[in-house]
Amino acid sequence: MSNERSCDHTSEAESLACEMQNFAIEKRKGRGAVTSGLTHECGVFGAIGCGEWPTTLEISQIICWGLVALQHRGQESAGIVTSEGKCSKYFNIVKGMGLISNIFNDQAIKKLKGSIGIGHTRYSTSAASEEVNCQPFVVHTAHGALAVAHNGELVNCDSLRKMVLGRGVGLSTHSDSELITQALCLNPPEGELNGPDWPARIKHLMHLAPLSYSLVIMLKNKIYAVRDPYGNRPLCLGKILGQNEPLDGDCDDSREAEGWVVSSESCGFLSIGAQYVREVFPGEIIEMTRHGIRTIDIVERPDDKIQAFCIFEYVYFARSDSIFEGQMVYAVRMQCGRQLAIEHPVEADIVSSVPESGTAAAHGFSRQSGISFAEVLCKNRYVGRSFIQPSNRLRQLSIAKKFGALSGSVKGKRVILIDDSIVRGNTIGPIIKLLRNAGAIEVHIRVASPPLLYPCYMGINIPTREELIANKLQPDELARHVGANSLAYLSVEGLVKAVRSDIKSKSAHKVGHCTACLTGVYPGGEPHKDLDW
């Protein structure tokens, strides 16, 4: 029998799961539907010049290049907001739908004058894909303009929305990010004596909404970089050095900074002449000015709660050259492949991958098993997203057209094919059929992550439980369903072991990962509509 976990079950745990799922469905109405895979989160970026302003750095161009490096995190819309540091009432703004290269042409970059700025690339997680939801959000307060870019999704957005509306503040969208922006305009409970106390306002917001977010908040002459107390979403710092300065090695405080950047990932730092410094700590509020950076405060999470960095950043979302927790994502994915080979060995002639995020794990599997690696699929990079098609035949063709099979590598071979994850299960079947048509005599699927069983409420658009194939079919049933000779997943324990194998700190308080989509255990407890922190 299949391992069916439907909403027809009447157990208390299942009823709670169904209630949570219905909450997620209602909250996320209006998004474009896709036939396979996970949709990415968002990417945030900020840059500021040091020393005298106007800075000699091309801030708008640096932000644009930084966003290009984060394009994998969102392809629906993007925006950049800059300030010349003179007027608190006016920011330069360019936002639009589509890819960064289509939005920020030479004319747009020229418009974005300034010595400080923030940017955002978006995939919608809590509001529809419309221009009104493009970030960064800009509001005009009694104390000047305020711009906010947000990666993540507020777990308790309903209670926060009620509070903001109850204060007489109007909201023009259903976006969590606008909600955050308006919440920052509210006075903190302790009041303010001499103008706005922005760190106090940020701390107040963090107490109201413990997760999930990484934020860059811009005023006319400073940026605040903020990460939620659980560290669920990534955020890191980079230091812009002189043109001839080496960027490798550890950050050297003795070398003068020409500017500072903050980003969801470090993958774009080298391309903009920035050296990786460190991650923003969970709960940390960092102030960035032309004089440098400093930690304003660190908001602690409850004593009984551990850190909850999203483990799927390693599995799927992040670019492979990014650094999290002191280790490169590519190295972690290789370690996942090694662990997968230990847990689920199989006799075969070659190991290969579904390009591209499965490739590092395939190399790890190959090295651990001693079976040589060979490419068997080539990817068509010019095929867009596979929107839902009217028939199963068209759906399969729309997926298969993304790949071509290298028959010379496949014919007469037993193939182990590594994929990073299986979500709905409608991508892998056409790929297996493609390999068999090219002459493969056996195809064994190995998945470098555990089965996805639960939705995410913290910034990843994981489908409903009914759509997740692992809730319907056991691995052997799924193998038969997709036409594989065998299929096996990496265990949750194996994934956690692989991710933590090279982390220097072994402190349970400093190291922790969110596995909610795999285990149903959510940091901060299960979210629901009336949750009030």
Side-chain angles (χ1 to χ4, degrees), residues 449-475:
S449 62
L452 277 164
L453 300 173
Y454 301 89
C456 174
Y457 308 99
M458 290 161 286
I460 302 174
N461 189 17
I462 290 179
T464 60
R465 298 184 79 215
E466 283 85 353
E467 292 178 280
L468 295 170
I469 194 68
N471 281 321
K472 300 177 181 179
L473 301 174
Q474 294 281 16

Side-chain angles (χ1 to χ4, degrees), residues 160-170 182-183 185-189 204 208:
L160 187 60
R161 181 176 294 274
K162 289 175 184 176
M163 187 207 76
V164 170
L165 293 173
R167 299 278 189 95
V169 177
Q182 294 290 3
C185 297
L186 302 176
N187 292 336
H204 180 48
L208 290 172

Side-chain angles (χ1 to χ4, degrees), residues 9-20:
H9 286 209
T10 56
S11 70
E12 183 178 350
E14 290 295 331
S15 297
L16 177 59
C18 291
E19 180 186 342
M20 292 158 59

